[in-house]
């Protein structure tokens, strides 16, 4: 390529950027922080900077290390870079933290006593190993589950606390147990030449810390290190970046390294605190790197002003946000559509109906995304979309009926109607773990074949199975004892929802998950609750059919729905995912569903002080929308087969009325619902002595003769309240309700303007 063509390429590259973006892209050496709101082109700056460095010859492709958080994000970044620089992308390291570390360790882990062929244990393997350590140490597994202990060990590793350091900080019996298990677990891993996921990061840090020559080698190899979504890094990742680039304020590392570290992020989008991510990594970047160049990006290229205003209004309710002014020239756009539906089915039908309408208008399904808080929420939606023949994909999660716990539960039920089903039997025999190993299982299966009896009957009488040890025989007795009781129950043809609940209890399945006390297990429990809901729905609908409800009928119905999965569609697929998976992505049309207190914000977050992280998650969700945003919630929803009523999410109320087309009627039973919110013990911004539930109609201006009597209050007015002090009007609703944010404690309260002791300043 000629020099001119080169120059033209570079010009074209820079032409697609605004001034501060360009500044970041052409930034010379040294640390650079880009702290900016959603959709302001942070990821674009990274990809363009990579192309620029390569295009100007400042770096060879193999001198670039670009890190993102998920495989999907890494793949997207690689594609974007490839569009700019073509095949040269191949030599670059564009990958997740874990992938980069695994690669480094393949070359250098021998220094720590591993061989090149070390094994990587996934979560399940690691958990099994923890369990073995627990058994060896004679810890009561009922008291402290492998899951809980593994979680604690993982947490320690992410803080770079090894077994020894952990042991020195022990403050409780639980921690002492963890310390013992941790020590043994580490020894075992090492003995087996294996690493768990956390080790990939920790061992890389170890190698770099212990061997200056390795540190130098990588620091020289990666002349430029770029990190996306930096707000979600945890301590070990922070340390790793320091080591790779020559460190920040840490004097010991000052002797080497280029310090060409570019990080981009948005503190308002930090959503992985529950996994040890430390928001301070981004907020304190300038302390660690006092000479860092800081670039701010303020123009949003993604969303309409309405969407941005909504996102900003919501996030403003968090304390300690860095103020960011985002603007867009994409115009005001359409109001946000807020919909209240009777229940989750009506909600799903509404979403499906809107999707059909939009597709009729020429929108492609691939332009539409639906976000929800927990995986389990996708199920009703999936069923409805299947029925409406709308093609969809579930990102970052498995489709509902393909999830392990759902398959397990269905296998239990199948076993009850089909005692010959060896596949189902194999699936559930040791799930949850009950001491039935692979060998014993094979013995029982082959005995059933030899004796010409069903697997059920063979397992029922383990004493007759040749070669089965005492422990295994006992385990089969216990397992089949429970199965027999369940079989008798099933024979009486009870409602399937009830039967399933009994299966989950009697089999010990639910108990095992509850004992884990991890986020993952919580998600699985929610999915199982959702399956109970499916069964309860089936019972209801089958009652009116000729055949009536039956377990076989239920299993047949779900087999058909599950089979409809995985078909391709040329008109594109609607994308379904949890809010956590939505990070970094954008769609013209976004639905956020299930906006109810207890669902989103999640009940656990309400109880455990995680509200600000939930709100950031809401901010992430809202800012994915380019053009149209829908916020929907249900008045009632089924939880574990029972109806439950919830108030609409505070996040809906934090979006100013005037940005929405809110038109709902006063919700039924909302008064009592709000009362329930108080029993959750969290200060709801909507509750005050003079508070009120949602008010019909509404707009920006409550003049209409209602608000404030003589003193008409308007949005933005400064006011003084006799008890709460200074505040500003952040919302005015019909019926004489004003929303005021008080500066003293940052609280937002709904007050009846006529009655509250407010003065306009
Ligand atoms: P998030 O915080 O959600 O990760 P982000 O800051 O990484 O967002 P990008 O995804 O890089 O933002 O950019 C958002 C959208 O705006 C993308 O479609 C991008 O191509 C576009 N964009 C960014 N900057 C410009 C620009 N200068 N000109 C045109 N389009 C731009
Ligand atoms: Mg991004």
């Amino acid at each position: 390529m000629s020099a001119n063509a080169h120059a033209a390429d570079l010009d074209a590259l820079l032409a697609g950027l605004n001034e501060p973006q360009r500044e970041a892209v052409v930034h010379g050496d040294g640390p650079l922080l880009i702290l900016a709101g959603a959709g302001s082109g942070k990821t674009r700056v990274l990809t363009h900077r990579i192309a620029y460095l390569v295009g100007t010859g400042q770096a060879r492709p193999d001198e670039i290390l670009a890190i993102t958080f998920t495989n999907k994000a890494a793949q997207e970044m690689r594609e974007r870079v490839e569009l700019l620089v073509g095949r040269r992308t191949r030599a670059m390291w564009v990958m997740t933290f874990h992938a980069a570390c695994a690669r480094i360790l393949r070359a250098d882990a021998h220094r720590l006593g591993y061989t090149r062929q070390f094994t990587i244990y996934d979560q399940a393997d690691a958990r099994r190993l923890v369990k073995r350590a627990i058994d060896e140490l004679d810890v009561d597994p009922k008291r402290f589950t492998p899951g809980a202990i593994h979680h604690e060990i993982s947490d320690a590793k992410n803080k770079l606390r090894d077994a020894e350091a952990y042991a020195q900080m022990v403050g409780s019996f639980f921690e002492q147990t963890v310390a013992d298990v941790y020590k043994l677990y580490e020894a075992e891993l090492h003995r087996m030449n294996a690493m768990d996921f956390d080790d990939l990061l920790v061992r890389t840090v170890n190698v770099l810390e212990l061997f200056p020559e390795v540190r130098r080698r990588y620091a020289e190899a990666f002349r430029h290190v770029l990190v996306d979504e930096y707000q979600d890094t945890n301590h070990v990742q922070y340390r790793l970046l320091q080591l790779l680039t020559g460190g920040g304020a840490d004097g010991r590392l000052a002797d080497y390294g280029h310090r060409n570290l570019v990080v981009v992020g948005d503190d308002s989008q930090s959503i992985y605190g529950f996994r040890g991510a430390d928001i301070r990594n981004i907020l304190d970047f300038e302390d660690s790197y006092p000479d860092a160049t800081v670039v701010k990006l303020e123009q949003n290229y993604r969303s309409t002003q309405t969407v941005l205003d909504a996102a900003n209004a919501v996030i403003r309710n968090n304390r300690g946000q860095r103020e960011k002014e985002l603007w867009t020239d994409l115009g005001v756009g359409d109001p946000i559509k807020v919909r209240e539906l009777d229940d989750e089915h009506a909600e799903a039908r509404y979403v499906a109906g809107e999707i059909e309408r939009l597709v009729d208008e020429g929108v492609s399904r691939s332009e539409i995304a639906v976000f929800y808080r927990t995986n389990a929420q996708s199920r009703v939606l999936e069923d409805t979309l299947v029925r409406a023949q709308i093609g969809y994909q579930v990102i970052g999660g498995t489709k509902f009926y393909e999830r392990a716990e759902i398959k397990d539960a269905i296998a239990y039920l199948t076993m009850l109607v089909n005692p010959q089903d060896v596949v189902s039997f194999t699936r559930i025999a040791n799930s949850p773990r009950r001491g039935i190993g692979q060998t014993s299982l094979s013995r029982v299966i082959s005995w059933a074949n030899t004796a010409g009896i069903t697997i059920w009957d063979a397992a029922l009488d383990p004493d007759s199975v040749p070669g089965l040890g005492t422990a295994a025989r006992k385990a089969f007795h216990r397992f089949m004892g429970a199965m027999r009781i369940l079989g008798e129950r099933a024979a009486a043809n009870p409602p399937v929802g009830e039967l399933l609940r009994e299966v989950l209890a009697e089999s010990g399945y639910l108990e095992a998950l509850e004992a884990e006390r991890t986020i993952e297990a919580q998600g699985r429990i929610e999915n199982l609750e959702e399956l109970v809901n499916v069964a309860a729905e089936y019972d209801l609908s089958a009652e009116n059919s000729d055949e009536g409800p039956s377990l076989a009928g239920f299993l047949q119905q779900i087999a058909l729905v599950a089979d409809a999965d995985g078909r391709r569609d040329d008109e594109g697929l609607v994308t379904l995912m949890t809010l956590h998976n939505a990070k970094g992505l954008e769609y013209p049309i976004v639905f956020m569903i299930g906006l109810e207190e207890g669902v989103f914000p999640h009940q656990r977050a309400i109880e455990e002080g995680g509200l600000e992280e939930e709100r950031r998650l809401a901010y992430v969700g809202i800012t994915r929308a380019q053009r149209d945003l829908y916020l929907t919630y249900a008045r009632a929803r089924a939880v574990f087969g029972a109806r439950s009523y919830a108030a609409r999410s505070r996040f809906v109320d934090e979006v100013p009325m005037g940005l929405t087309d809110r038109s709902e009627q006063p919700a039924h039973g909302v008064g009592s619902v709000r009362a329930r919110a108080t029993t959750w013990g969290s200060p709801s911004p909507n509750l005050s002595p003079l508070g009120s539930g949602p008010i019909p109609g509404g707009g920006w201006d409550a003049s209409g003769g209602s608000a404030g009597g003589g003193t008409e209050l308007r949005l933005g007015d400064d006011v003084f309240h006799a008890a709460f002090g200074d505040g500003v009007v952040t919302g005015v609703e019909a019926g004489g309700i004003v929303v005021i944010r008080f500066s003293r404690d940052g609280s937002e309260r709904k007050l009846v303007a006529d009655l509250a002791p407010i003065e306009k300043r």
Side-chain angles (χ1 to χ4, degrees):
M1 201 187 291
S2 74
N4 276 345
H6 243 123
D9 275 359
L10 287 175
D11 283 349
L13 189 71
L14 296 178
L17 300 168
N18 65 30
E19 192 45 44
Q21 287 176 333
R22 201 171 304 141
E23 188 193 324
V25 166
V26 306
H27 166 79
D29 285 345
L32 170 67
L33 164 68
I34 302 164
L35 180 63
S40 57
K42 295 184 297 297
T43 304
R44 186 180 174 100
V45 163
L46 285 192
T47 54
H48 280 62
R49 178 166 170 83
I50 293 169
Y52 185 80
L53 291 170
V54 174
T56 53
Q58 291 180 67
R60 292 194 315 264
D62 64 357
E63 289 176 324
I64 299 222
L65 170 62
I67 291 188
T68 61
F69 264 78
T70 60
N71 290 321
K72 182 169 167 62
Q75 182 197 331
E76 273 193 10
M77 184 182 277
R78 179 170 279 280
E79 282 163 13
R80 285 207 213 174
V81 175
E82 203 161 339
L83 283 179
L84 299 171
V85 307
R87 291 181 45 183
R88 283 175 291 179
T89 317
R90 284 193 201 165
M92 294 176 191
W93 288 39
V94 182
M95 54 186 80
T96 63
F97 271 111
H98 286 97
C101 288
R103 229 160 127 170
I104 292 177
L105 288 171
R106 288 283 170 217
D108 287 292
H110 64 274
R111 293 165 191 271
L112 299 175
Y114 297 87
T115 76
R116 220 169 235 295
Q117 290 75 29
F118 67 85
T119 313
I120 299 172
Y121 279 179
D122 66 13
Q123 292 293 93
D125 295 335
R127 181 127 335 155
R128 224 164 277 143
L129 195 59
V130 168
K131 169 84 167 54
R132 271 193 11 207
I134 290 177
D135 289 346
E136 200 155 314
L137 293 169
D138 246 352
V139 176
D140 179 2
K142 281 254 160 46
R143 192 142 173 219
F144 300 128
T145 67
I149 292 181
H150 184 217
H151 189 70
E152 181 79 7
I153 292 175
S154 170
D155 197 53
K157 287 189 177 186
N158 280 307
K159 290 180 176 138
L160 281 173
R161 262 180 219 145
D162 60 16
E164 210 170 294
Y166 187 89
Q168 278 165 11
M169 303 189 38
V170 162
S172 68
F173 183 57
F174 174 66
E175 285 172 6
Q176 185 55 56
T177 310
V178 172
D180 296 342
V181 175
Y182 192 178
K183 192 167 164 214
L184 185 57
Y185 172 71
E186 286 297 89
E188 284 291 286
L189 275 175
H190 211 264
R191 197 173 61 79
M192 294 194 291
N193 193 29
M195 299 195 201
D196 64 18
F197 278 167
D198 302 317
D199 283 342
L200 293 175
L201 297 163
V202 174
R203 298 294 167 233
T204 307
V205 165
N206 293 159
V207 168
L208 297 174
E209 277 181 341
L210 289 170
F211 302 94
E213 68 276 19
V214 181
R215 189 158 77 224
R216 286 220 174 75
R217 177 150 53 78
Y218 282 106
E220 274 161 31
F222 299 128
R223 294 263 314 279
H224 291 273
V225 178
L226 308 95
V227 187
D228 202 358
E229 309 278 1
Y230 185 70
Q231 74 279 355
D232 283 322
T233 48
N234 61 23
H235 180 69
V236 61
Q237 291 161 340
Y238 171 80
R239 182 69 187 152
L240 178 70
L241 292 172
Q242 266 193 339
L243 289 162
L244 284 175
T245 58
D250 186 337
R252 284 188 302 130
L253 297 174
D255 61 321
Y256 79 101
H258 46 68
R259 303 175 77 248
N260 290 335
L261 174 63
V262 177
V263 303
V264 313
D266 177 1
D267 53 317
S268 307
Q269 295 186 66
S270 160
I271 54 175
Y272 280 102
F274 71 92
R275 283 205 193 141
D278 192 343
I279 198 168
R280 279 175 307 180
N281 287 348
I282 195 156
L283 296 177
D284 296 347
F285 190 83
E286 290 168 82
D287 295 336
S288 308
Y289 298 88
D291 57 334
T293 306
V294 180
V295 171
K296 297 221 156 88
L297 306 176
E298 293 182 340
Q299 181 168 2
N300 171 297
Y301 288 89
R302 178 182 292 151
S303 311
T304 64
Q305 192 66 51
T306 300
V307 169
L308 278 190
D309 287 348
N312 288 335
V314 170
I315 201 68
R316 217 172 284 135
N317 292 285
N318 274 2
R319 291 147 210 247
Q321 288 306 139
R322 284 206 180 184
E323 273 294 319
K324 285 180 291 281
E325 285 305 323
L326 276 183
W327 61 278
T328 174
D329 63 9
L330 296 177
V332 175
D334 286 341
I336 292 161
K337 291 167 210 48
V338 177
R339 290 291 174 276
E340 175 181 279
L341 287 310
D342 280 342
D343 59 18
E344 70 273 32
H345 299 282
E347 186 183 47
R349 283 195 302 273
Y350 171 73
V351 172
E354 278 301 289
I355 292 174
E356 279 174 338
R357 191 182 62 75
L358 290 160
V359 170
D360 279 348
E361 283 175 5
V363 172
S364 161
R365 286 171 187 161
S366 58
E367 294 177 307
I368 305 174
V370 186
F371 304 146
Y372 34 83
R373 177 64 180 82
T374 58
N375 273 311
Q377 286 171 265
S378 74
R379 199 275 306 171
V380 171
L381 196 62
E382 288 186 54
D383 281 0
T384 310
L385 294 177
V386 167
R387 242 174 271 141
Q389 301 193 320
I390 296 172
Y392 70 92
Q393 57 175 339
V394 181
I395 296 284
T398 322
K399 287 184 167 186
F400 185 76
Y401 291 105
E402 286 167 14
R403 293 176 186 148
E405 63 279 12
I406 300 301
K407 284 187 153 179
D408 284 350
I410 291 172
Y412 270 101
L413 293 177
T414 307
M415 212 47 224
L416 298 179
V417 290
N418 179 9
Q420 309 187 46
D421 187 339
V422 177
V423 172
S424 293
F425 187 81
T426 308
R427 191 167 181 102
I428 61 175
N430 202 34
S431 180
R433 291 218 167 105
R434 44 172 79 90
I436 296 180
Q438 201 50 53
T439 322
S440 317
L441 191 58
S442 310
R443 293 227 159 97
V444 175
I445 292 171
S446 65
W447 171 244
N449 287 337
T450 313
I453 54 177
T454 64
I455 182 74
W456 176 285
D457 286 337
L460 215 44
D461 180 18
D463 300 336
S464 306
V465 180
L468 214 54
T470 326
R473 281 209 300 265
K474 264 200 193 143
F476 273 107
H477 273 304
R478 238 177 299 129
F479 170 43
M480 290 308 292
M483 289 303 281
R484 187 170 21 200
I485 296 174
L486 290 169
E488 281 161 15
R489 273 293 285 154
N493 204 21
V496 183
E498 256 170 52
L499 181 65
L500 176 55
R501 221 173 306 166
E502 285 168 34
V503 164
L504 294 173
E506 284 289 322
S507 63
Y509 202 95
L510 212 52
E511 196 187 357
L513 286 176
E514 275 161 1
E516 276 191 34
R517 292 173 39 219
T518 61
I519 306 274
E520 288 83 1
Q522 179 64 34
R524 291 180 194 280
I525 293 172
E526 279 163 6
N527 289 334
L528 289 170
E529 288 175 4
E530 192 54 41
L531 189 66
V532 173
N533 291 338
V534 179
E537 275 162 29
Y538 164 81
D539 288 327
L540 261 182
S541 68
E543 239 157 51
N544 305 321
S545 74
D546 291 344
E547 291 172 25
S550 71
L551 181 51
F554 172 67
L555 289 169
Q556 183 185 322
Q557 177 182 305
I558 41 183
L560 295 178
V561 175
D563 193 48
D565 282 359
R567 63 202 183 82
R568 288 210 325 273
D569 200 308
D570 291 342
E571 286 167 59
L573 299 171
V574 173
T575 304
L576 273 47
M577 67 181 103
T578 62
L579 285 154
H580 278 98
N581 276 315
K583 207 167 64 150
L585 306 177
E586 58 191 17
Y587 294 89
I589 293 148
V590 165
F591 291 84
M592 286 168 70
I593 66 170
L595 281 151
E596 296 135 42
E597 290 287 305
V599 176
F600 186 37
H602 197 279
Q603 188 63 28
R604 206 177 41 239
I606 296 174
E607 283 163 4
E608 295 173 10
L611 264 178
E612 298 219 334
E613 185 149 310
E614 292 289 295
R615 191 172 279 113
R616 291 193 291 269
L617 198 53
Y619 176 84
V620 167
I622 294 171
T623 53
R624 300 307 97 199
Q626 294 174 296
R627 208 169 65 222
D628 287 321
L629 176 64
Y630 291 80
L631 307 177
T632 67
Y633 57 98
R635 266 197 290 267
R637 117 176 6 250
V639 178
F640 233 135
R643 282 230 119 355
S644 141
Y645 294 84
R648 84 171 154 237
S649 170
R650 67 193 73 196
F651 303 144
V652 174
D653 291 328
E654 288 171 7
V655 174
M657 277 273 200
L659 298 176
T660 71
D661 68 346
R662 250 154 92 165
S663 59
E664 76 267 24
Q665 297 304 308
H668 317 285
V670 157
S672 61
V673 162
R674 294 280 163 190
R676 187 186 137 181
T678 49
T679 64
W680 291 339
S682 81
S684 159
N686 295 323
L687 288 171
S688 78
L690 296 169
S692 165
I695 303 298
W700 285 103
D701 187 333
S703 48
S706 56
T711 49
E712 193 173 283
L713 292 175
R714 287 173 172 277
L715 200 72
D717 280 349
D718 289 322
V719 293
F720 177 78
H721 184 285
F724 305 129
D726 285 327
V728 59
V729 178
T730 56
V732 182
E733 300 174 10
I737 304 297
V738 288
V739 188
I740 297 177
R741 191 168 67 245
F742 291 98
S743 49
R744 193 184 296 163
D745 59 356
S747 67
E748 195 158 52
R749 294 166 195 272
K750 278 192 180 178
L751 304 168
V752 181
D754 266 347
L755 303 177
I758 324 172
E759 275 170 37
K760 197 161 151 181
R761 286 246 176 220

